[in-house]
Amino acid sequence: MPTPHISAPDGAFADTVLMPGDPKRAAHLAETFLDGAEMVTEVRGMTGFTGTYGGTPVSVMPSGMGMPSAAIYSTELIRFYGVRRLIRVGTCGVYQPDLPLRRVVAGTEAVTDSNIPAALGAPHPLLPSAELLATAEQVAADTGVDLATGTIFSSDIFYEPDDATHEARAAAGVLVVEMEAAALYAISALEGAEALTLVTTTDHLVTGEHLTADERQTSVDEMLELALRVATT
Ligand code: HPA
């Protein structure tokens, strides 16, 4: 049944949905990596697709930027379309001096300044599915992906007013910052689904380095293939 933000028919989504923030990345993922991908929704230009990877059905649905948007799409996918597993595939900024760009990070916990998890009554701490995390670690080891694991900060603010915030979070052991994982973990826990966040390091907040558009694409593709293998293992 269509929802306010997704216009797909019942059964249009596979059990596992990869969620990039960017709808263009969703289309890229579907066109480049899925077989027989078909667009299943395009409300507000948020294009979702279903196809197969290695013969197993997989969908991709953008989350948009930030936790309010990610919360809407993840809730509707799980509650109204019966999706069982959500794997966020995104990019992130780096807080730790010794964590380089182009690494894939799996979020073993999400911490946040957002009110969304607490307002929904989500359990604390905000954790990924242990099974999806273990699968990601195994697939990364088997395919030679140098996977970093650790705590992710999900921020409501991209343009932080003060660098001291980065330093405080780095000192607290947080590896990277992005803007959606905490909502995904909270809603998956509340709705009885499984979630994992995989993010590629693209912006270094200590050294000031940023990947170019081409470098972003190549690095993100490595993560997308890892996520697809996790989704279909
Ligand atoms: N901050 C927050 N989210 C991000 C960043 C960042 O520097 N880079 C990619 N996503």
Side-chain angles (χ1 to χ4, degrees):
M1 178 189 55
T3 66
H5 307 95
I6 299 175
S7 65
D10 285 350
F13 288 94
D15 281 354
T16 305
V17 177
L18 268 56
M19 297 194 86
D22 178 358
K24 287 229 168 82
R25 187 157 290 141
H28 164 76
L29 195 162
E31 282 156 18
T32 311
F33 296 108
L34 298 187
D35 293 318
E38 288 192 8
M39 194 196 291
V40 294
T41 180
E42 55 178 332
V43 178
R44 291 173 175 250
M46 297 293 265
T47 45
F49 301 85
T50 297
T52 60
Y53 186 78
T56 302
V58 184
S59 296
V60 49
M61 180 73 208
S63 67
M65 283 186 284
M67 285 174 270
S69 182
I72 288 171
Y73 292 105
S74 51
T75 301
E76 292 186 5
L77 286 172
I78 299 167
R79 197 180 290 174
F80 302 112
Y81 286 97
V83 168
R84 306 305 315 143
R85 306 199 299 178
L86 296 175
I87 304 178
R88 160 157 163 71
V89 284
T91 60
C92 63
V94 182
Y95 285 150
Q96 295 290 340
D98 54 355
L99 181 64
L101 296 185
R102 299 185 193 78
R103 287 286 295 279
V104 184
V105 178
T108 55
E109 181 179 350
V111 291
T112 186
D113 56 4
S114 163
N115 185 43
I116 289 177
L120 292 174
H124 189 82
L126 297 168
L127 301 175
S129 147
E131 197 178 324
L132 283 178
L133 178 62
T135 305
E137 289 179 312
Q138 187 61 55
V139 171
D142 292 347
T143 55
V145 174
D146 194 2
L147 182 69
T149 53
T151 302
I152 292 181
F153 188 82
S154 298
S155 184
D156 271 343
I157 301 173
F158 185 87
Y159 295 104
E160 295 275 5
D162 184 356
D163 282 352
T165 324
H166 302 164
E167 285 151 26
R169 290 187 194 136
V174 177
L175 297 188
V176 297
V177 55
E178 52 79 81
M179 303 183 75
E180 292 83 16
L184 212 70
Y185 288 180
I187 283 160
S188 297
L190 289 164
E191 298 282 335
E194 292 184 81
L196 178 67
T197 291
L198 297 171
V199 276
T200 299
T201 57
T202 53
D203 305 293
H204 213 296
L205 302 173
V206 182
T207 65
E209 296 165 276
H210 299 276
L211 293 190
T212 64
D214 281 356
E215 289 169 337
R216 266 172 205 261
Q217 196 61 62
T218 319
S219 305
V220 166
D221 279 355
E222 182 191 35
M223 175 196 51
L224 296 180
E225 291 201 77
L226 172 67
L228 283 163
R229 290 197 176 102
V230 173
T232 54
T233 292

